[in-house]
Each structure stands twice: as C-alpha cells, then as structure tokens.
Amino acid sequence: QVQLVETGGGLVQAGGSLRLSCAASEIIFSFTTMGWYRQAPGKQREMVATITSGITNYTDSVKGRFTISRDNANNTVYLQMTNLKPEDTAVYSCYVRLPSRPYWGQGTQVTVSS
C-alpha cells in the first residue's frame, strides 16, 4: 500500500508563492502518473496538474503560474505555485495512479488571502 506524504501548504498573500511536496513510500516509475488535485469548500475536486514520463498537464486556471515537477530518484513530486490568487484556496492532495488503483495523500491546506 503506497503512502503519500504532502508538505508545504500554508497561508500566503495574493501574489505570493508556495511549493508543495509529496513523497511516496514506494518506488514510483517515471511512466506512472503523479499529480495534484484540489478541492475548495463547496466545490468538486479538480485536477490541478499531472506529470507522466516528463509530460505535464495543467488545468487552464493555473497555466503559467504553477509548475509540476518530479524527482524520480526520491519518488517525490512537487508543485511550485506562483502568483497565487484567493481562488486557489483549497485542500491540495497528491495523487499517484498505479495499475492496481489510484492512491491519494491526506491533503494539505493552501489559503490565499486577498
């Protein structure tokens, strides 16, 4: 059973930056999709960014502001968030899609004040 441990959330002013990290407890091959989802209060969970074999995908609202990257040697995925906006406020969860099933982290709160 893969465990995902996220760090890096917090409170930041609009226009600020945060970097989220997610470390997996097992080896995650580069061809396995890892990513970040978020869920704001009263809203459905949405995909923020994914990375598979170096290919990245972003939801439109974060393009140009967020960057997903991966350290395959340490089974870690990152989300660098810049120019944060109040609408980015949400619980951000790490995700890995293994052949057997998807796994999720416990989530980390990101709050952007205006």
Side-chain angles (χ1 to χ4, degrees):
Q1 184 132 352
V2 177
Q3 293 186 346
L4 302 172
V5 179
E6 300 130 331
T7 56
L11 173 65
V12 65
Q13 289 188 332
S17 300
L18 283 174
R19 188 192 196 206
L20 305 182
S21 300
C22 172
S25 60
E26 298 180 6
I27 294 175
I28 306 296
F29 294 106
S30 62
F31 55 79
T32 300
T33 296
M34 295 188 76
W36 294 90
Y37 281 66
R38 67 185 179 186
Q39 186 166 21
K43 295 187 177 181
Q44 289 189 337
R45 184 167 60 189
E46 66 168 344
M47 184 277 291
V48 177
T50 62
I51 183 167
T52 310
S53 297
I55 298 172
T56 58
N57 185 38
Y58 298 92
T59 190
D60 286 345
S61 63
V62 308
K63 287 180 180 177
R65 300 188 298 122
F66 291 11
T67 303
I68 188 170
S69 61
R70 193 161 167 176
D71 180 353
N72 292 317
N74 292 298
N75 304 305
T76 301
V77 65
Y78 303 96
L79 186 68
Q80 179 68 49
M81 304 183 292
T82 62
N83 191 21
L84 282 159
K85 303 176 180 180
E87 51 264 41
D88 294 318
T89 295
V91 175
Y92 285 70
S93 298
C94 177
Y95 159 86
V96 59
R97 188 174 69 205
L98 296 181
S100 57
R101 50 159 283 191
Y103 287 88
W104 298 88
Q106 80 283 359
T108 185
Q109 177 70 45
V110 172
T111 302
V112 185
S113 62
S114 57

